[in-house]
């Protein structure tokens, strides 16, 4: 991994900084956290601006609509947009960071042409229909079934923790297409239109008060067979591609955000007198080292994915495991720095701290990540 920057990469950074400085002051105010239609419009508007400026899907392959940028250019983009306070992907998270990349890697030419351009142009939002009430961390135990009926699958079942379902146009959906096959072999990956008859969406309110998740109930929903990505019953392999993006590269921008938050905490500690607390100062120093190391691991993972054809490897589980714990440690330290302010339910610090608790569950629990690291990286035998 080469951590130096070429003249071309520095020129790219300079152009990006200039563009951000020009466009960010003109953005409209962010909508209320509870205004999901407004948040969708805001996030799609920003995505369209990126598209028009040539920054959408920067690291996607050129034949998938991206710019085919180098991993280093991608990381520069994430660094500079976060430093400048640019909007996060928001409602575009699933489409841009794992459904889209999965379709780019596994979809047919027709599927890539249909689904990828609208994601990059900021025209369509995707949600993720993986988890189920009774499956938990054992994703392969899913029960939502898809029965073949001519050119359609007829889907019945339910999903939970479906990200952005209430504002989504499409859902990356896992279904069981062969009830008799071993549980990892009877699964298929479908793209389901969220306006299809038979879909009921019920938002779920999180600990932080947000409703970015939902329950989704499916009652004889017809999904065209043409919307299947990969072969029938080969969905578990396709899912591993999706999860490799979700764990390996989807959190990249958040590492940059955490480093920014840490800097803000240090400044606040100096201002309110907490900087004189030596143990707290050491704690912040350790977190600084932690996130610097995670950024280097991020660089390695992104570079490795480029060498392996664009799909991250199981090293993403190492990153996700450590990052989820470090994020919680960061906001625990924030509570020590801020004192009573950290209990204010209207404070963004409080909301971020509550949100941090979910990261050891989201995208696969820490227990599952430890199993993956033990079995697939260290070569240890499976537990009984």
């Amino acid at each position: 991994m080469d951590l130096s920057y070429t003249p071309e990469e520095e020129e790219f950074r300079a152009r990006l900084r200039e563009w951000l400085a020009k466009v960010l002051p003109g953005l409209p105010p962010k909508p209320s956290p509870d205004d999901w239609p407004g948040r969708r419009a805001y996030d799609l508007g920003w995505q369209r601006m990126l598209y028009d400026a040539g920054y959408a899907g920067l690291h996607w392959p050129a034949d998938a609509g991206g710019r085919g940028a180098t991993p280093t250019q991608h990381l520069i983009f994430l660094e500079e947009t976060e430093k400048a306070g640019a909007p996060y992907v928001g409602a575009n998270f699933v489409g841009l960071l794992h459904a889209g990349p999965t379709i780019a890697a596994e979809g047919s030419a027709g599927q890539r042409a249909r689904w990828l351009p609208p994601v990059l142009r900021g025209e369509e939002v995707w949600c993720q229909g993986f988890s189920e009430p009774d499956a938990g961390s054992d994703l392969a135990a899913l029960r939502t079934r898809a029965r073949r009926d001519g050119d359609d699958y007829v889907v019945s079942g339910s999903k939970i923790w479906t990200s952005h379902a209430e504002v989504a146009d499409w859902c990356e959906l896992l279904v069981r297409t062969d009830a008799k096959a071993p549980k990892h072999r009877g699964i298929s990956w479908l793209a389901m239109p969220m306006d299809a008859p038979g879909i009921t969406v019920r938002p779920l309110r999180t600990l932080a008060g947000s409703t970015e998740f939902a329950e989704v109930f499916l009652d004889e929903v017809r999904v065209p067979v043409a919307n299947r990505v990969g072969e029938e019953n080969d969905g578990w392999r396709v899912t591993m591609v999706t999860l490799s993006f979700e764990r390996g590269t989807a959190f990249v921008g958040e590492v940059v955000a955490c480093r920014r938050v840490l800097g803000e905490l240090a400044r606040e500690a100096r201002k309110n007198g907490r900087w004189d607390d030596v143990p707290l100062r050491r704690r912040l120093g350790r977190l600084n080292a932690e996130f610097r190391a995670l950024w280097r691991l991020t660089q390695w993972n992104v570079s490795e994915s480029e060498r392996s054809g664009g799909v991250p490897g199981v090293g993403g589980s190492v990153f996700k495991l450590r990052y989820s714990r470090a994020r919680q440690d960061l906001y625990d330290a924030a509570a020590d720095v801020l004192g009573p302010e950290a209990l204010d339910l209207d404070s963004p610090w409080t909301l971020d701290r509550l949100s941090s608790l979910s990261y050891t569950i989201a995208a696969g629990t820490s227990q599952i990540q430890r199993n993956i690291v033990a079995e697939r990286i260290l070569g240890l035998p499976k537990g009984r």
Side-chain angles (χ1 to χ4, degrees):
M1 180 177 64
D2 184 2
L3 301 182
S4 61
Y5 296 108
T6 66
E8 292 78 15
E9 289 163 346
E10 291 293 3
E11 181 183 355
F12 170 79
R13 186 192 298 275
R15 288 198 310 270
L16 176 59
R17 283 181 176 175
E18 181 181 358
W19 180 76
L20 290 169
K22 181 174 66 174
V23 302
L24 290 180
L27 290 181
K30 290 184 179 180
S32 164
D34 293 329
D35 179 10
W36 272 102
R39 290 178 67 175
R40 172 191 160 107
Y42 182 87
D43 295 338
L44 290 180
W46 172 245
Q47 181 60 30
R48 181 68 200 204
M49 291 178 69
L50 290 173
Y51 179 82
D52 290 341
Y55 291 117
L58 190 68
H59 61 297
W60 286 22
D63 61 0
R67 286 183 55 179
T70 66
T72 303
Q73 287 177 316
H74 178 211
L75 293 172
I76 290 172
F77 172 81
L78 294 170
E79 277 189 297
E80 295 301 325
T81 51
E82 179 58 39
K83 288 178 180 178
Y88 185 54
V89 288
N92 295 314
F93 178 85
V94 175
L96 283 171
L97 302 185
H98 42 89
T102 299
I103 294 167
E106 296 289 336
S108 66
Q111 290 171 339
R112 289 153 66 101
R114 165 61 188 88
W115 286 316
L116 298 183
V119 169
L120 293 178
R121 291 194 298 260
E123 296 171 355
E124 293 180 344
V125 170
W126 284 67
C127 63
Q128 185 182 73
F130 281 17
S131 298
E132 296 188 3
D134 296 323
S137 295
D138 186 7
L139 182 58
L142 64 91
R143 297 181 181 178
T144 295
R145 296 197 176 185
R147 169 176 53 85
R148 183 78 176 259
D149 182 25
D151 292 333
D152 292 333
Y153 288 110
V154 181
V155 181
S156 293
S158 66
K159 298 291 179 177
I160 199 168
W161 311 124
T162 306
S163 306
H164 307 313
E166 62 267 48
V167 293
D169 302 290
W170 293 90
C171 177
E172 51 173 358
L173 184 73
L174 293 189
V175 296
R176 188 161 297 285
T177 41
D178 186 349
K180 297 180 181 179
K183 66 180 185 178
H184 291 87
R185 298 180 185 175
I187 293 172
S188 296
W189 197 108
L190 305 180
M192 179 179 71
M194 288 298 288
D195 61 354
I199 300 176
T200 301
V201 177
R202 296 180 185 170
L204 294 168
R205 193 164 295 278
T206 69
L207 182 65
S210 178
T211 57
E212 69 262 29
F213 300 119
E215 292 180 285
V216 176
F217 299 92
L218 308 170
D219 182 14
E220 300 284 295
V221 179
R222 301 189 77 90
V223 179
V225 173
N227 287 18
R228 186 189 68 231
V229 175
E231 296 299 320
E232 185 171 283
N233 299 326
D234 191 34
W236 186 252
R237 184 191 61 79
V238 179
T239 300
M240 291 302 100
V241 173
T242 304
L243 293 179
S244 70
F245 285 114
E246 187 173 10
R247 296 164 183 167
T249 55
F251 290 115
V252 169
E254 297 193 33
V255 175
V256 183
C258 285
R259 296 180 70 184
R260 173 184 53 78
V261 168
L262 186 59
E264 292 175 1
L265 277 181
R267 287 189 290 273
E268 179 61 26
R270 290 186 177 95
K271 186 168 62 175
N272 67 14
R274 294 289 287 144
W275 193 251
D276 294 333
D277 184 332
V278 174
L280 176 61
R281 208 161 60 234
R282 286 174 178 164
R283 187 177 182 186
L284 296 178
R286 181 186 60 77
L287 283 167
N288 181 52
E290 183 93 44
F291 283 110
R292 286 172 63 89
L294 280 168
W295 182 244
R296 293 307 187 202
L297 179 58
T298 293
Q299 292 175 307
W300 187 89
N301 281 338
V302 171
S303 298
E304 183 68 15
S305 71
E306 183 70 13
R307 287 192 290 271
S308 62
V311 178
V314 292
S317 289
V318 177
F319 167 82
K320 198 273 175 180
L321 180 63
R322 190 55 234 171
Y323 168 72
S324 59
R325 183 67 257 174
R327 186 182 177 94
Q328 289 188 12
D329 291 344
L330 173 64
Y331 283 98
D332 284 347
D336 285 348
V337 171
L338 299 173
E341 183 185 340
L343 300 177
D344 182 357
L345 294 179
D346 293 325
S347 168
W349 288 101
T350 305
L351 297 178
D352 286 342
R353 188 184 186 199
L354 292 174
S355 175
S356 74
L357 300 175
S358 68
Y359 278 73
T360 51
I361 300 172
T365 66
S366 292
Q367 291 85 350
I368 293 296
Q369 305 311 313
R370 291 188 184 98
N371 284 344
I372 292 173
V373 171
E375 296 170 8
R376 303 185 192 174
I377 297 178
L378 300 179
L380 298 178
K382 290 180 178 290
R384 295 183 179 179

